[in-house]
Structures are given as C-alpha cells and as structure tokens.
C-alpha cells in the first residue's frame, strides 16, 4: 500500500479524534466559566458596608441584623478559645445581641404579634425565647422618640453615666412640707434631705422632675445660695401631664402616674433607669451594687425570705391524702427603688402599667406588680420580663431595719448586719425623722 493511500485511509479517524478533543476542551471551558460565575455570585465573606450616617428605618433594621449575626459568630469563636467576650465588650455586653428581630424587609412580622424569638448561642448552645410580643408594647425607635422629646433626650445624654444609666425621681412642693396639712409623714423637708443624700453618696447621674412652681423656685434659690462650686442638682420641668383620671387621687398616686410616663421615654431613648422615691436614704452609690442581669432589678416590700419567694402548702382534710396542694408566696417589689433596663420586655411592663393608670385610678405599685408577676393564662400573655429582687439586707425597707432585724441593725455599736446601700422608709409614717436618724448614723 502506498504512503498516500495510507494517509487517506487514516484521515477520517484523525479528524474524528480532533473533534472529540475540541468538544472536551470546550466543555471544560464552559465548566470553568460556570465555576467562576458561581464563585462571584456567592455572598461576600466581607461584612456589608453600612453608612454610619444612615437613618432609614429599614436600613437600620437590616444593619442591626447583620451586626447581630457577626457579633454572635465572633462570640462563639472567642468562647471556643477561652477568651471572655466581656473582657473586650465590657460587662453586660450580652444585651448587644438580645431582642434583634429581622424579617428581611424591616416590616413587622404580622399584624397581631412580632416573633421576638431572638436566638443567642452561649457556648454554642442555642436558646430561643418563644413568647411573642404584641407590637403595641414594643419600644419605638430612639430617633423618633428623641425628635419628640429633644430637651429630655439632651438631659439624659448629659447626666447619664458611661453605662447609659440614670437615676430618675419626681418631686413637688408637698415634699418640702411647708404646708403640714398636705404631707403625711408628720412634717419635715424630705426633698432637702434627699438632695443632701445625693451629694453624700456622690450620685451625679441623677435627674429630678419638678412638677410645680414652688418646688422649682426652691431648687433655683438653693442653687443660687450655694454657689456654682456646690454639688450640682440636675432638675427639669417635665412636659408631660398627669392623667385626668388621677386628678382626684392621693398626691403620691398623681406623681407616680407621671413617673411611668417619663420612664417610658427614658427607656425608649436607650437609658437604663433607676426609679427612686425620696423617702429613702442612699448610704452609698446604688449603681455600684447592681447585678444588671435581669430586665428589672428591684427592692422588695418583703422583710423575710418571702421577699424572694417561698413554697407553702394547703391541705383539705375532707379530701383525704389527696387534699393538699403547694403554692408560691412572695412579696411585691417596691418601685420606689427599681432599676429598669431598656429592653422590650421591661418596657412592656412599664407601658401596660402606664396605660392602666391613664385609664383608671390606681396605686402605681399594685398596678406595676400585677403586670410584672401575673402569669400567662387564657388570652392573657405576660410580658415575660425577668426579675431580680435586690438583697433585702443591702436595699432595706424600714420594717426589716426597725422591726424584724432590729437587733442586727440597732444600736449601731453592736450591729451585726452589713452596712446597707439604701434604707427605704416605706413602712413608717414618721419618715423624715427616721431619715435624719439614718443620715446621722
């Protein structure tokens, strides 16, 4: 066979092989291009860049969700290498990842409820709060609240401490007790003593709301007499009004109803607020003794272990051995000294109490405890706010101090009880006399 014939006979086979190789190369090229496009279409591993000047509500919701995810990822990785996140973010930083709810669009999840099932991952174990929050009781964006309350917002920013904590109290001319027919504590200038207490304990992060002209003049004249170098008393005239339904109630009830209105605003502006009465003595700065591990941390009206809650039982002999039952008994907390964190669940308790006090006459402490402590049942859904009861030997009410543990506190030379942080004269009518006693001691 000639060389030319051999070449002609092998030509078609060689062309077929070339076609197959070209097809394979073309297929590989297509796969490579697809892989490149897939990689480019994946979400960037780099964090989304957000404008620090953005104020759009939907954009801020998405930014918050992004920050939450990144912070949770960082917290898990830090914990895995035995790094304490609090060493870097500071104590109480777990609140940074709480309560962030995103639907991806910034809209409320449904018309009736918002799924507040914020998930955190301590040590890699997810914990989910399944209870929904009614949008009626969710805090509004701080920017909106600040726009409506610019002066109050500026006062809070000026006088709060570096943890965004403020002590908030209210006063009127009755607390000065120039007219003894109006005051119910056998006379005495409680307001003046409270101002001295603030100075003694160096509680600079305070604000006092003044509800009448006489008390405002008293504070103005006092500041002028003492001069600019004296301890500064931070006071203001609130621009909220006492609800009409409280107009004919006791003076204390009227002031208390106003207190909850201001508290709603301070919480929505993001300030953790220590609500305080004035018929008490702070022996040291209470902010140094807070645990900050609950939505609400409050003093108690309890003077024994019932302050913290204890199990008791009932028994009906007519029912035989099955006629018994257990129940929990506890004292109410006292909102005359209560630290309330700026969380949705704490705010829900405050707003429910404020709404009720605006709708009908009532005692603020009873109303607040009803909404805080009543358990979910039937159609009623609790706000599910967490509660820490303050140590009753540090934040002491006057019945425990002067009655149930009197021998531990009095006389001072032989006292065995620890030095209190605060003594509240909620049980005694001769409030001011006892305030002076504790201040002298």
């Amino acid at each position: 066979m000639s060389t030319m014939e051999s070449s002609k006979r092998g030509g078609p086979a060689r062309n077929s092989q070339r076609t197959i190789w070209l097809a394979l190369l073309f297929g590989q090229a297509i796969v490579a291009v697809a892989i490149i496009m897939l990689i480019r279409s994946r979400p960037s591993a780099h964090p989304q860049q957000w404008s620090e000047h953005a104020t759009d509500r939907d954009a801020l919701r998405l930014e918050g969700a992004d920050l939450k995810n990144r912070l949770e990822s960082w917290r898990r990785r830090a914990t895995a290498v035995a790094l304490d996140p609090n060493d870097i973010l500071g104590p109480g930083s777990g609140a940074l990842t709480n309560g962030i709810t995103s639907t991806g669009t910034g809209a409320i999840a449904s018309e009736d409820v918002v799924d507040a099932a914020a998930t955190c991952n301590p040590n890699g174990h997810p914990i989910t709060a399944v209870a929904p929050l009614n949008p009626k009781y969710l805090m509004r964006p701080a920017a909106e609240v600040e726009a409506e309350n610019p002066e109050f917002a500026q006062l809070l920013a000026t006088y709060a401490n570096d943890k965004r904590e403020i002590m908030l109290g209210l006063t009127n001319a009755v607390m000065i007790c120039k007219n003894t027919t109006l005051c119910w504590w056998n006379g005495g200038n409680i307001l003046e003593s409270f101002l001295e207490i603030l100075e003694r304990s160096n509680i600079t992060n305070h604000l006092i709301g003044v509800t009448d002209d006489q008390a405002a003049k008293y504070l103005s004249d006092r500041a002028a007499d003492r001069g600019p170098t004296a301890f500064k008393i931070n006071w203001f005239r609130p621009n909220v009004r006492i609800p009409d339904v409280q107009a004919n109630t006791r003076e204390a009830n009227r002031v208390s109803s106003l207190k909850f209105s201001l508290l709603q605003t301070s919480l929505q502006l993001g300030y953790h607020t220590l609500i305080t009465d004035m018929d008490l003595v702070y022996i040291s700065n209470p902010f140094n003794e807070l645990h900050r591990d609950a939505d609400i941390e409050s003093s108690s009206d309890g003077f024994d272990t019932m302050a913290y809650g204890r199990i008791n039982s009932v028994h009906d002999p007519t029912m035989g051995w099955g006629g018994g039952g257990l129940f929990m008994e506890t004292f109410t907390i006292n909102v005359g000294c209560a630290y309330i964190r700026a969380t949705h669940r704490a705010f829900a308790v405050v707003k429910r109490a404020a709404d009720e006090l605006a709708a009908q006459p009532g005692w603020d402490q009873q109303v607040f405890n009803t909404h805080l402590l009543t358990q979910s049942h039937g159609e009623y859904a609790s706000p599910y706010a967490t509660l820490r009861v303050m140590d009753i030997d540090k934040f002491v009410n006057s019945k425990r101090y002067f009655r149930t543990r009197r021998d531990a506190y009095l006389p001072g030379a032989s006292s065995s009880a620890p030095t209190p942080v605060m003594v509240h004269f909620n049980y005694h009518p001769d409030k001011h006399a006892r305030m002076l006693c504790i201040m002298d001691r």
Side-chain angles (χ1 to χ4, degrees):
M1 182 183 297
S2 68
T3 304
M4 183 175 292
E5 290 175 342
S6 176
S7 173
K8 289 180 180 179
R9 186 176 296 177
R14 187 175 294 117
N15 290 337
S16 176
Q17 290 177 354
R18 185 181 297 112
T19 301
I20 293 173
W21 280 107
L22 288 174
L24 289 173
L25 289 173
F26 183 70
Q28 289 177 339
I30 292 176
V31 172
V33 170
I35 292 174
I36 292 173
M37 293 180 65
L38 180 63
I39 292 174
R40 288 184 175 181
S41 67
R42 292 178 62 190
S44 172
H46 298 287
Q48 173 72 47
Q49 297 299 311
W50 302 96
S51 170
E52 63 180 9
H53 303 294
T55 57
D56 178 73
R57 186 172 181 177
D58 289 353
L60 289 173
R61 282 181 180 270
L62 293 173
E63 182 180 354
D66 178 60
L67 289 172
K68 172 178 179 265
N69 292 333
R70 288 162 54 193
L71 183 58
E72 287 179 345
S73 173
W74 175 85
R75 189 182 295 278
R76 286 194 300 270
R77 289 181 280 115
T79 303
V81 295
L83 175 65
D84 185 358
N86 292 335
D87 288 342
I88 296 175
L89 299 180
S93 59
L96 292 173
T97 60
N98 290 342
I100 300 177
T101 303
S102 174
T103 64
T105 63
I108 292 178
S110 71
E111 292 184 359
D112 298 324
V113 297
V114 172
D115 183 5
T119 301
C120 56
N121 290 274
N123 299 323
H125 300 285
I127 297 177
T128 303
V130 297
L133 282 175
N134 188 321
K136 178 181 179 181
Y137 301 116
L138 286 174
M139 290 190 288
R140 295 165 53 209
E144 291 182 10
V145 179
E146 181 175 355
E148 297 171 1
N149 303 272
E151 295 180 0
F152 189 41
Q154 182 58 51
L155 288 169
L156 290 168
T158 301
Y159 298 118
N161 65 15
D162 58 1
K163 294 185 177 69
R164 295 180 68 85
E165 295 172 332
I166 193 77
M167 176 185 284
L168 181 62
L170 286 170
T171 192
N172 55 21
V174 176
M175 303 305 293
I176 305 171
C177 202
K178 292 292 182 66
N179 183 350
T180 56
T181 62
L182 293 178
C183 63
W184 57 92
W185 55 86
N186 299 338
N189 191 339
I190 285 182
L191 174 59
E192 178 59 36
S193 294
F194 184 78
L195 302 180
E196 293 176 13
I197 289 162
L198 292 178
E199 181 174 8
R200 290 188 186 194
S201 298
N202 195 34
I203 305 172
T204 57
N205 57 321
H206 69 269
L207 267 177
I208 299 176
V210 178
T211 63
D212 57 34
D213 294 337
Q214 186 176 340
K217 184 178 185 304
Y218 180 88
L219 289 173
S220 296
D221 292 346
R222 184 181 187 274
D225 292 342
R226 291 167 61 88
T229 60
F231 181 84
K232 180 175 173 55
I233 300 300
N234 313 319
W235 64 276
F236 70 109
R237 293 293 296 268
N239 62 354
V240 292
R241 59 191 297 270
I242 296 173
D244 293 337
V245 296
Q246 302 292 344
N248 297 320
T249 61
R250 293 177 62 240
E251 183 73 22
N253 288 1
R254 295 199 294 274
V255 171
S256 295
S257 62
L258 181 61
K259 173 173 64 179
F260 283 109
S261 297
L262 288 173
L263 181 56
Q264 288 184 83
T265 304
S266 65
L267 294 178
Q268 290 183 106
L269 289 170
Y271 291 90
H272 313 303
T273 306
L274 179 65
I275 286 290
T276 184
D277 285 348
M278 294 190 176
D279 61 332
L280 48 71
V281 173
Y282 290 106
I283 298 169
S284 60
N285 192 321
F287 290 98
N288 296 336
E289 299 293 334
L290 295 173
H291 288 261
R292 299 178 176 87
D293 60 352
D295 294 311
I296 297 170
E297 187 171 351
S298 179
S299 60
S300 172
D301 279 338
F303 42 82
D304 55 21
T305 56
M306 201 196 302
Y308 307 129
R310 65 189 180 198
I311 295 291
N312 209 332
S313 63
V314 293
H315 181 65
D316 183 354
T318 65
M319 297 184 66
W321 63 266
L326 300 176
F327 64 93
M328 175 68 75
E329 55 183 7
T330 185
F331 262 97
T332 55
I333 64 167
N334 192 300
V335 290
C337 179
Y339 177 73
I340 303 177
R341 293 184 59 82
T343 67
H344 282 301
R345 299 192 185 281
F347 176 78
V349 181
V350 172
K351 180 164 176 54
R352 289 186 188 203
D355 288 352
E356 182 171 332
L357 291 169
Q360 61 188 30
W363 181 24
D364 68 303
Q365 182 152 307
Q366 179 176 344
V367 172
F368 188 86
N369 275 274
T370 297
H371 291 291
L372 173 64
L373 300 177
T374 300
Q375 304 300 301
S376 294
H377 60 279
E379 297 301 316
Y380 177 80
S382 165
Y384 298 101
T386 55
L387 170 65
R388 168 181 279 274
V389 178
M390 292 173 170
D391 188 327
I392 60 175
D393 281 318
K394 290 184 176 181
F395 294 82
V396 193
N397 63 58
S398 59
K399 184 166 184 177
R400 184 165 178 82
Y401 193 97
F402 289 104
R403 180 68 64 86
T404 60
R405 292 208 68 197
R406 181 183 181 89
D407 58 343
Y409 287 106
L410 301 171
S414 59
S415 62
S416 59
T419 301
V421 175
M422 178 276 289
V423 181
H424 190 181
F425 303 93
N426 54 324
Y427 275 100
H428 286 77
D430 52 341
K431 296 176 180 294
H432 191 247
R434 292 177 186 267
M435 285 180 70
L436 294 177
C437 170
I438 299 298
M439 292 170 69
D440 288 345
R441 175 180 172 183

